C-alpha cells in the first residue's frame, strides 16, 4: 500500500509514491499516525509497522537507526486501540486502557524509553472509556466518552489547562475546570491547546503568538 505525496515544483504536479506497508502485506490499515519525520501504521491484524527518523527511539525498535522502508516492530502491547505521536514520542493504548510509551519527552524530564513500555502512572479510571487521544510537542491529552479530559507532560506554558504553569506533570491529571461540558474535539499546538464542545464553544489554553496563558473562552 502506498501513500501519495503530492509535490508542486515550478507549477507542475509531481506525485511521489511512498510505501507505508510492505508490498507483501495485504491487511487493511486500522491506524496511522505521523510524528516529526516518522510515521507508524497498525493493521487490522494488530501488526505495527514503522518508518522514518528514530533519533529519540520514537519508533520503539530498541535502537536509533533510521528506517527507510516500512518495518514491522514486534510488540507486547495487546490489541492496539489508539496510536498517537508527539514530537519525539509515541503512545499506544490497548483495549484494556493500558498505556505503552516509547521515545522521549525531553531529556530535562528524564522520561525516555527505547521500546514500547507499559507506563503504570498513565491511567484513567477503570470504568471510563477513552474517546480519543491527542498529542503534540511534549504533552498529550486523553478524552473519555463521558467528556473527562486528562493532561500529561509539559505544562510550562499552561497548555494542559490546569490553571497553573508547571514544568512537567508525570501522571494523567484531570481538568476539573471543564466538568459537565461535552467535548467534541481537542487539538494541540506546540505550546497551546484548543478544545471544542458540542455547542460550538471553543476553549483555548496555553501560550500562542498572542502570549495567551490560562484557560480562555472564545464564543
Amino acid at each position: 500500500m502506498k501513500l501519495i505525496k503530492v509535490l508542486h515544483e515550478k507549477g507542475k504536479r509531481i506525485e511521489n509514491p511512498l510505501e507505508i506497508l510492505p508490498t507483501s502485506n495485504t491487511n487493511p490499515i486500522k491506524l496511522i499516525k505521523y510524528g516529526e519525520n516518522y510515521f507508524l501504521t497498525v493493521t487490522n491484524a494488530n501488526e505495527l509497522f514503522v518508518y522514518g527518523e528514530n533519533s529519540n527511539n520514537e519508533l520503539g525498535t530498541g535502537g536509533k537507526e533510521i528506517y527507510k522502508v516500512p518495518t514491522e516492530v514486534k510488540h507486547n502491547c495487546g490489541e492496539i486501540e489508539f496510536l498517537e505521536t508527539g514530537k519525539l514520542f509515541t503512545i499506544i493504548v490497548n483495549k484494556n486502557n493500558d498505556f505503552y510509551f516509547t521515545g522521549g519527552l525531553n531529556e530535562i524530564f528524564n522520561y525516555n524509553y527505547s521500546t514500547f513500555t507499559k507506563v503504570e502512572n498513565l491511567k484513567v479510571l477503570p470504568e471510563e472509556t477513552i474517546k480519543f487521544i491527542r498529542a503534540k510537542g511534549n504533552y498529550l491529552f486523553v478524552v473519555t466518552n463521558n467528556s473527562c479530559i486528562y493532561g500529561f507532560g509539559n505544562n510550562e506554558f499552561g497548555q494542559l489547562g490546569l490553571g497553573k504553569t508547571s514544568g512537567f506533570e508525570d501522571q494523567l491529571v484531570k481538568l476539573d475546570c471543564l466538568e459537565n461540558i461535552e467535548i467534541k474535539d481537542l487539538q494541540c499546538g506546540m505550546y497551546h491547546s484548543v478544545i471544542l464542545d458540542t455547542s460550538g464553544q471553543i476553549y483555548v489554553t496555553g501560550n500562542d503568538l498572542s502570549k495567551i496563558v490560562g484557560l480562555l473562552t472564545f464564543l
Side-chain angles (χ1 to χ4, degrees), residues 48-50 107 114 158:
L48 174 65
F49 291 88
V50 302
E107 291 180 0
S114 62

Side-chain angles (χ1 to χ4, degrees), residues 177-191:
C177 57
L178 292 179
E179 282 189 318
N180 303 318
I181 294 175
E182 190 172 351
I183 305 302
K184 183 176 182 179
D185 198 7
L186 186 155
Q187 296 295 328
C188 305
M190 286 299 292
Y191 305 112

